[in-house]
Amino acid sequence: MKILIIGAGLLGASLAFRLARAGGEVTVIEAARPASAASGRSFGWINASYYLTPAHHHLRVAGMAAHHRLSRDLDADLWDWQGCLWVEDGPTLDQTATDLSAFGYAFDDLSQAQIAVMVPALAHPPPRALHFRQEGAVDPAALTRALLAKAQA
């Protein structure tokens, strides 16, 4: 099957990659260069600690798992699973910890001393933070280019 995809952003590249793996003959057309619009200007934080509803949280957890599968499928070392520190005022941080605990979402509740060790460059560490070890980031432009390269291989 011959497939034409218009737009070489992250979505177009993802479609091209999956359709090519399924046996399609894929052509991608882009007016400028790959990831030249939103995909090249985005920050790729991969997380489920920030969410709007329980269903949204579960969708984000599934998205994190999909990123791990994609890294294996691409055989690419583009992801940085360095974790995330979440800092807020006391009551809000307490509620975030309670809610995420109820979802079974793992985190470490760090003291000021633990934060100082983890991030020594902070002149004034906050009194407390949540650390989500399983969260990470990917450069969406680099991911777009890798997906397109594999789709055309």
Side-chain angles (χ1 to χ4, degrees), residues 55-127:
H56 185 226
H57 169 77
H58 297 304
L59 177 65
R60 294 175 77 90
V61 168
M64 291 170 65
H67 272 279
H68 284 287
R69 287 190 306 274
L70 183 57
S71 74
R72 289 188 298 271
D73 290 348
L74 284 176
D75 192 28
D77 188 25
L78 300 173
W79 289 262
D80 185 356
W81 298 102
Q82 77 282 0
C84 171
L85 280 180
W86 187 286
V87 179
E88 293 183 75
D89 64 10
T92 305
L93 193 66
D94 290 338
Q95 189 61 56
T96 298
T98 298
D99 293 347
L100 290 172
S101 287
F103 293 145
Y105 196 67
F107 62 88
D108 300 310
D109 196 337
L110 302 180
S111 68
Q112 188 173 38
Q114 291 170 307
I115 298 165
V117 169
M118 181 180 280
V119 190
L122 280 178
H124 305 285

Side-chain angles (χ1 to χ4, degrees), residues 15-31:
L15 283 170
F17 173 70
R18 291 295 178 198
L19 290 168
R21 283 181 52 119
E25 184 181 324
V26 180
T27 300
V28 180
I29 297 174
E30 170 60 48

